[in-house]
Amino acid sequence: MIDVRPEVAKALDLGAAVVALETTVIAHGLPSPRNLEAAERMKAAVREEGAVPAMVAVLRGSVVIGLSAEEVASLAEGADVAKATTRDLAALTASGSAGATTVAATAFAAGRAGIAVMATGGIGGVHRGGERSMDISADLAEVGRTPVAVVCSGAKAVLDLSLTLEVLETLGVPVVGYGTGSFPAFYARRSGLGLEHRVDSPEEAARLIARQRRLGLPGGILFCNPPPAESALDTAEVESLVKTAVRASEEKGLRGNEVTPFLLGHLATESAGRTLAVNLALLEDNARVAARIAAAYASLMD
Ligand code: PSU
Ligand code: MN
């Protein structure tokens, strides 16, 4: 039921570097046609670093690892594509429906296939007001129990970043700055929240993954790579954009899974497209960093 496609299977057999890539951001997180552009930029960045990209999705009864270009394009068109997190995998494979995998479901699949590293834009986390609504992404629990390192630019900007860090601590997930001592704020390089740990090279990151394994710790690691400086917004601007967007969604009375797409659309409009440009740039950069870490980890295991 986990269908590892030949190019990925061969790389894994040889102990070569592979990077798993989530697809919810492609099917549900970005508008068309920028979503397909994002997928292509991520795959190309992984290849440029000598690693094999493995996009993950649920298709025709299997969890597929290593989608073809046509399959990625069909997810990007996205008409009948569910958002698949861990709890959805059994039902979607049973019904044969298509699903784009979140960080949680992608990490789960990668862990089963023996892929050590994955990339995303921002991980899910605790929503603003999450202490009451209990809207906490399954991404956090999954990374707490699945041995896959996730390269991200922190958590989605619309979340409560401080509560997200608290829950990650509870779940035993190391949150490690990649060339930074600050938790990034997705569109901005710094959130103002400090991190306990940092690494400054792919080799250092790879050694941390190896050590986590040798200690017998069950879960993954979050490597937080700030968005590229050329396109990043500043921290105060992001906070004010998000506050305005949240207020607009409350005024509309939006709830549940309508909220995030509305907020992201609002941010893109209000910033004249700059949030979208940062989103694409950081997805590509995180894929590149993930490939470098996967390559360093593969050499370490040689
Ligand atoms: N960050 C973004 N856009 C996205 C996501 C994250 O900027 O679309 C996706 C990722 O796939 C992540 C998921 O795993 O949202 C988390 O969703 P939820 O909060 O519903 O668990
Ligand atoms: Mn949620």
Side-chain angles (χ1 to χ4, degrees):
M1 261 176 271
I2 299 206
D3 175 8
V4 183
R5 293 283 168 73
E7 188 195 11
V8 175
K10 185 167 166 224
L12 290 170
D13 271 352
L14 295 171
V18 175
V19 174
L21 300 171
E22 63 129 328
T23 49
T24 291
V25 65
I26 306 304
H28 303 291
L30 292 167
S32 172
R34 303 306 295 278
N35 56 353
L36 197 53
E37 182 195 333
E40 275 159 12
R41 283 170 64 176
M42 291 179 88
K43 287 197 300 182
V46 170
R47 289 203 191 278
E48 277 163 28
E49 300 299 323
V52 173
M55 295 209 121
V56 177
V58 184
L59 291 175
R60 295 178 295 276
S62 315
V63 180
V64 178
I65 304 186
L67 301 175
S68 68
E70 295 71 38
E71 287 166 335
V72 175
S74 82
L75 287 182
E77 281 158 26
D80 270 322
V81 180
K83 174 170 165 181
T85 190
T86 310
R87 60 145 192 213
D88 306 307
L89 292 174
L92 291 173
T93 55
S95 66
S97 315
T101 52
T102 62
V103 168
T106 306
F108 171 79
R112 296 270 297 161
I115 300 172
V117 184
M118 66 166 288
T120 181
I123 188 167
V126 183
H127 280 264
R128 293 173 190 229
E131 68 278 18
R132 292 197 57 80
S133 68
M134 297 296 281
D135 189 350
I136 302 171
S137 175
D139 291 356
L140 304 184
E142 193 62 55
V143 179
R145 66 182 170 232
T146 297
V148 173
V150 181
V151 179
C152 61
S153 298
K156 292 198 258 196
V158 299
L159 302 173
D160 186 319
L161 300 185
S162 169
L163 289 183
T164 298
L165 285 177
E166 291 297 341
V167 172
L168 285 163
E169 180 189 354
T170 305
L171 295 169
V173 177
V175 182
V176 179
Y178 189 85
T180 182
S182 166
F183 194 48
F186 195 69
Y187 302 118
R189 291 178 60 83
R190 267 176 262 286
S191 62
L193 298 163
L195 295 176
E196 301 290 325
H197 308 290
R198 82 180 262 174
V199 294
D200 288 287
S201 68
E203 292 71 27
E204 227 184 312
R207 285 196 293 274
L208 214 57
I209 299 172
R211 199 159 277 280
Q212 175 102 339
R213 294 286 77 76
R214 276 161 52 204
L215 284 166
L217 288 160
I221 298 179
L222 281 192
F223 289 110
C224 298
N225 179 40
E230 314 81 75
S231 55
L233 307 188
D234 77 49
T235 309
E237 184 183 13
V238 171
E239 189 49 34
S240 117
L241 280 167
V242 171
K243 281 216 170 94
T244 314
V246 168
R247 211 172 311 119
S249 86
E250 286 167 358
E251 277 160 17
K252 277 179 152 314
L254 299 183
R255 293 185 63 94
N257 53 16
E258 306 167 319
V259 178
T260 301
F262 173 84
L263 295 178
L264 296 179
H266 198 277
L267 293 173
T269 317
E270 292 293 306
S271 70
R274 283 182 302 141
T275 55
L276 207 50
V278 193
N279 206 338
L280 264 68
L282 67 83
L283 281 164
E284 176 182 339
D285 199 54
N286 291 345
R288 188 179 309 283
V289 165
R292 289 181 182 153
I293 294 173
Y297 187 66
S299 327
L300 207 59
M301 296 293 108
D302 242 0

